[in-house]
Amino acid sequence: MIPVSAPSPVRFAVVGVPGNRRVGMFAEAVRAAGLGEPVVVPWREVLASQSGGVPPSLPPGCLVRVDSPGEDEGVDRLLRGHALGEGWAPTRVEGGAAWHAGFRRGLRRLAEIVAATPDCRLLADPDDISVMFDKRLTHARLAAAGVPVPPALVQGPGGVHGWEELRQLLREQRLPRVFVKPAHGSSGSGVVALELGPGGRAGATTSAQLTTAADGSVRLYNSLHVRRYREESELRALFDALAAERLHVERWLPKATQGGRAADLRVVVTAGRATHLVVRTSSHPMTNLHLGGSRGDLAELREAVGPRWPALLETAEQAAACFPGSPSVGVDVLPATGWQRFRVGEVNAFGDLLPGLTGLPGSGAEGLDTYAAYVAATTGTTTHRELSPCP
């Protein structure tokens, strides 16, 4: 009788930044599921292999999670350093187009490495990730699928070229309050809440710090301090610098509030189902937690939404369905005043960094954090109500 060998255990690899909290939390989830220690593949090695470096090795038969290349200065320099030259700094806002182009090449290289490894599978679609890092393409894809999104500024084929053109277009299209976003930014980098008032007055709220270099050039730096610009010279310098690369501009819609603070929602959709949700509140237009936003109250949210709760979750799931090759995405849902209507602001490829947050009741991820839910969904090991299978 020929012995039947036991099936090989699932083996994970994660492409990310060694030592980063994202990688650490994912590794903890893999170990907790009894699946051993995941192989950590540094983004630096993937990128270096494009120019003669030795490609990283993967164990045969592994499942490969793609995680963020952020918070690694060496990776950032590889991706956009050449575009900024001697003015490169990890906190610079500019260089997003170069970063995006380099990241796209890195994703393609990663796909080649995975394809060359027997029985390995990449648990993310590189094209999905690429689109999610282009706010213009994401908005267009969502709108085409019927997902409710804020109205966007109609731009010419060459985009917006500076402050004067931006202001003129906003007036023509009757958009007095907008969010101006670098097309390829993330984590709120370079995002500006802009208001046009009577008599040509305007105000811009942003975490971008406007500086002037020794050669007289304008540079923008990310900071943790949200500031406001009102002077015409400041506004021109700010938006001329931002418009050097493509912009996405959308209507600034009045948001619902919680505790007197503006609120929006980050909904993590895992394998097609809304599994985790955090309320983000702020005293200023940007609700990013690292910019002074804070977590709101989920019970209060559910009470305010009432019978519209299923519609809220379905809105997030509808947005995630536009990226079917992605096991997990973070959907930013914008609730209108009164909590009864919802639009989608962004979809984030790496939007599951929410420490300490467990799954929603009835989601199939009860008791699991976002990383444990990801492991369960991609291996079929969940002991909770079955999650939709990952494509």
Side-chain angles (χ1 to χ4, degrees):
M1 185 175 184
I2 301 175
V4 178
S5 59
S8 300
V10 174
R11 186 75 190 274
F12 271 102
V14 54
V15 183
V17 177
N20 184 272
R21 55 183 175 162
R22 293 176 180 271
V23 171
M25 292 173 68
F26 176 69
E28 182 179 347
V30 173
R31 290 191 298 267
L35 300 175
E37 190 71 26
V39 175
V40 178
V41 178
W43 266 114
R44 288 197 196 196
E45 293 185 8
V46 174
L47 298 174
S49 71
Q50 299 176 102
S51 54
V54 177
S57 60
L58 296 168
C62 66
L63 302 178
V64 183
R65 171 184 165 93
V66 182
D67 217 323
S68 172
E71 300 183 36
D72 185 320
E73 293 187 9
V75 169
D76 187 74
R77 187 182 284 274
L78 285 171
L79 291 174
R80 66 181 180 132
H82 65 92
L84 300 176
E86 294 183 0
W88 174 85
T91 54
R92 284 285 296 276
V93 171
E94 303 92 332
W99 187 98
H100 187 250
F103 188 43
R104 288 180 61 192
R105 290 191 296 270
L107 288 167
R108 290 195 294 268
R109 178 60 180 140
L110 173 61
E112 293 171 354
I113 294 170
V114 173
T117 306
D119 300 320
C120 259
R121 183 156 65 96
L122 191 60
L123 293 174
D125 181 353
D127 289 337
D128 272 7
I129 297 174
S130 178
V131 170
M132 281 186 270
F133 272 95
D134 188 320
K135 292 179 173 59
R136 302 163 302 162
L137 296 182
T138 296
H139 186 278
R141 181 178 289 194
L142 295 173
V147 178
V149 291
L153 179 73
V154 178
Q155 305 178 35
V160 177
H161 296 97
W163 168 235
E164 295 299 340
E165 183 179 0
L166 173 62
R167 180 161 53 183
Q168 182 63 30
L169 287 174
L170 292 175
R171 286 172 173 165
E172 291 174 356
Q173 298 179 36
R174 298 183 178 182
L175 294 171
R177 300 175 80 242
V178 293
F179 277 99
V180 180
K181 305 177 181 181
H184 306 298
S186 62
S187 301
S189 175
V191 173
V192 184
L194 172 64
E195 300 174 88
L196 299 182
R201 294 190 297 274
T205 304
T206 179
S207 63
Q209 181 178 358
L210 184 66
T211 65
T212 303
D215 61 2
S217 62
V218 171
R219 295 179 181 178
L220 302 178
Y221 291 87
N222 288 302
S223 76
L224 299 180
H225 173 63
V226 175
R227 64 201 74 228
R228 189 164 173 83
Y229 297 105
R230 294 186 178 88
E231 297 298 326
E232 181 70 14
S233 59
E234 294 176 329
L235 295 168
R236 179 175 291 106
L238 174 64
F239 289 106
D240 284 355
L242 288 172
E245 298 182 12
R246 296 299 296 266
L247 298 174
H248 174 67
V249 184
E250 61 187 30
R251 185 186 294 273
W252 175 0
L253 300 170
K255 287 182 181 178
T257 61
Q258 188 177 96
R261 293 160 61 90
D264 64 14
L265 314 170
R266 168 64 58 85
V267 183
V268 177
V269 180
T270 309
R273 299 183 61 180
T275 54
H276 299 75
L277 184 153
V278 65
V279 184
R280 305 185 302 185
T281 73
S282 179
S283 59
H284 53 69
M286 274 68 75
T287 59
N288 303 73
L289 298 180
H290 70 285
L291 295 179
S294 59
R295 292 192 183 188
D297 188 283
L298 181 59
E300 186 177 334
L301 164 69
R302 294 203 63 160
E303 182 178 355
V305 173
R308 294 286 291 166
W309 179 255
L312 188 167
L313 300 184
E314 287 166 9
T315 299
E317 292 171 351
Q318 185 184 5
C322 294
F323 302 92
S326 300
S328 175
V329 296
V331 182
D332 290 346
V333 177
L334 312 177
T337 303
W339 294 100
Q340 298 303 294
R341 293 184 296 113
F342 312 98
R343 296 178 189 257
V344 173
E346 297 185 19
V347 182
N348 303 273
F350 309 124
D352 55 0
L353 180 62
L354 297 170
L357 187 70
T358 54
L360 294 166
S363 68
E366 298 92 335
L368 303 178
D369 68 11
T370 56
Y371 296 97
Y374 179 99
V375 171
T378 52
T379 61
T381 58
T382 180
T383 57
H384 298 263
R385 189 161 66 87
E386 191 67 24
L387 296 173
S388 303
C390 176

